[in-house]
Structure formats: structure tokens, C-alpha cells
Amino acid sequence: QMSGNQAQLGRGVPCLRCRGTCTGFEPHSWRKICKSCKCSQEEHSLSSELDDDRKIGRLLADSKYSTLTARLKGGDGVRIYKRNRMIVTNPNISGKDPTFDTITYEWAPPGLAQKLAMQYMELIPKELQPVAGTDGALQRRRRLTRQLPLYDQDPAQCRGLAEGEHRLMEEFVKKYKAEALGVGEVALPGQGGGGKDEGTPQDKSIDSSKATESTNGALESTARHYRCETCKQAVPGDCPVVYAERAGYSHQWHPACFVCCHCSEPLVDLIYFWKGGVPWCGRHYCETLRPRCAGCDELIFSEDYQQAEGLAWHKKHFACLECETPLAGKPFALANTSLLCTICSQSKRL
């Protein structure tokens, strides 16, 4: 069942998308939407920063990245994400008396000198920089909600699991933590993982235009260049790049190019899942292994589920969005991912 905090998320907060037509969030019994306006909980209110840090802490706990978490005092062994914030203070000398402008980044790559961390931030589009109080910080938290839903890692948050499926999900989570989960590392080219190269670099090439002739007449290279795995463009030696340990340290990405291979969204806090030689966000990685219910948005662990037009549903969730009439074996209409019975579909056209 949902925790009390999750069930209360956004309760009473008007929907941002509906511009006042929704008077407040009214949680649906099993859909992740408001019963009143049909918009997501995310459109009404994001979870608290503490809840976000607990969620990432739970994800990274019991993995090789557990060092990025700390035990929560009085939390019965619960681990919380040690999210790295960065505060930058710049002098403002435009006035008569000098003052200081303070900028707070709600997240920054850990373990870096501030100069290198600032270089990293400057290589990300300004609208995506997680500066406190800006849309960039809001977008980071929205990506966290989309890419790493709590119900993809905690069976206790799922409403669609049948008896006996909790163990299947626990094994699923344990397996992806061991085999796919990773957190990107930021460093200068050639310095990822403490400066170790693994194997033959795919993303380094010799620029033949910069070859010189040796004393015996043979061409001799004078430089070795690093290339981004996504855009294949050269990486300057003095600009930070992102490394993914599961890819090996002969691979690197421009900060703006470290994105999910499926949705092309920047990977929130550099958290990735490695499969097929490319990084995925958590949501889309999980969907390569299990179908996702278009009704409740949870992964399906039953082998007996409903399918239609490339989508999947728990059998008990194959129902009309408006009137909740079960639609198995009945005619229906599908608008985007929303199921409607014929009566509700006709009334929407009127």
C-alpha cells in the first residue's frame, strides 16, 4: 500500500496545469492522478526535498554507490542521499559599498573543486542549471520524479502487485542494483577513475591533420583526442566530462550529452542504468525488462496482463478513465494512453 506521505502528496493543492479549474488534489485509489482533474500528483505538488533525498538514498543503498548515502539519525537504519549542494559567493562592486551575490545550486557533482564544478555547470544549458528558486531547479526535481519513480524500487509503494509478486519485485530491484545502476563521475578528460584507461579507447582518435614527419620520413602523431560518446564531437582537454564506470573509463560524455538513450532527458544527478552499451534513465531501463501498466504506471510482474495497441495494463486496471467500468472483452476507445468506454468516449465528443 501507499505510505501516508505518498497518499497525502499535494492534497488540497490546486493543479498547476488546470489554471484554477481544479480546486485541489483528490487522490485516486490506484491511479497516480487526481480524481478531479485527471492530472498527475506532480502537477499539483512535488514531494519534499527530504522525501526526494530519502528516495535516492534508498535506491543507492545496498549498491556499490552506498557511499553517497548516510544513515538517517533515528530512522531505523534508513539511509539518505548525501546530496552535494554548492554555494557560490561573488562580490558585487557596482555600488558604492561592495556586496556579495550568493548563488545556491541544489545539486552539484560531488568530490570536485569548486572551479571544476562551476565549469561543469557552465557546460549545461542555463535553463537546466539547478539554481535554487529557478525553473532549472524545478526541472531537476520533475526529472527525478519521472526518471526514478519510488514504485519502481519499493514494493511497499505499489498497488498493482498481487500476492506472491512482492518477492519477484525485490529480486528485480536487487538485480538491477548489482548489474545496471550507476552514478556518473565528473573529471577532466583522461582523469576518470583516477586517470585509468581501460582497453582500447573507442572515443579517442588521432587527428591526421596534426601529424608531423619524423626524422626518418614517417608520419608521427603529436596529439590524442577524446570524443563524446553521444555527439561524437571532440572534447577539449581542459573541459570536464562525465564518466560512467559501467561503460569503462575509455568513454566520456559532454555534460550536456549525458542523457537517457530513449527519452533524451538529462540523467538526473548523473544517475544512470547501463544496458546495451548506452545509458538509460531508471524509468526506461525498467521498461526494457518489464511492461509498465498504462493505468497505474507501475511495472507489471504478472505474466497474465492486458495488451492493446502496444500498451499494457494490469487486468484489474483495464478500465474506463472516467467511469471506471472494466473493459476486458468490451469495446473501448484509446486516447493517448487513456482508456474510455464507448459511452464516455461519445460524451467527450459532444
Side-chain angles (χ1 to χ4, degrees), residues 48-68:
S48 70
E49 286 192 4
L50 179 58
D51 284 341
D52 287 346
D53 290 344
R54 282 175 170 163
K55 177 170 73 170
I56 300 182
R58 180 187 178 92
L59 176 66
L60 299 182
D62 304 318
S63 79
K64 59 176 14 177
Y65 302 95
S66 61
T67 54
L68 295 175

Side-chain angles (χ1 to χ4, degrees), residues 226-338:
Y226 296 84
R227 296 193 179 277
C228 171
E229 282 296 305
T230 297
C231 71
K232 307 304 180 186
Q233 297 300 306
V235 174
D238 60 350
C239 289
V241 293
V242 179
Y243 288 93
E245 182 183 8
R246 292 189 184 275
Y249 288 100
S250 63
H251 303 256
Q252 61 273 308
W253 288 260
H254 290 116
C257 291
F258 194 58
V259 300
C260 171
C261 67
H262 181 84
C263 64
S264 298
E265 278 198 351
L267 291 161
V268 65
D269 293 12
L270 304 181
I271 297 170
Y272 69 91
F273 291 73
W274 190 254
K275 183 180 180 183
V278 287
W280 301 71
C281 70
R283 169 177 288 272
H284 292 119
Y285 168 81
C286 287
E287 290 175 7
T288 68
L289 302 175
R290 304 298 312 185
R292 187 178 296 280
C293 177
C296 71
D297 200 46
E298 296 172 12
L299 299 173
I300 300 174
F301 286 89
S302 170
E303 299 306 319
D304 184 21
Y305 57 92
Q306 190 75 37
Q307 297 184 77
E309 299 189 29
L311 298 174
W313 288 263
H314 292 106
K315 283 202 163 183
K316 60 185 176 182
H317 293 163
F318 193 70
C320 177
L321 177 66
E322 297 293 336
C323 68
E324 301 294 344
T325 299
L327 294 175
K330 299 179 181 178
F332 63 87
L334 186 61
N336 295 323
T337 60
S338 299

Side-chain angles (χ1 to χ4, degrees), residues 33 91 136 146 178 195 214 238 291 314:
I33 61 171
R146 286 193 300 271
S214 66
D238 60 350
H314 292 106

Side-chain angles (χ1 to χ4, degrees), residues 96-113:
K96 183 177 180 180
D97 297 320
T99 58
F100 295 90
D101 293 330
T102 299
I103 301 173
T104 300
Y105 292 86
E106 292 193 350
W107 172 85
L112 302 183

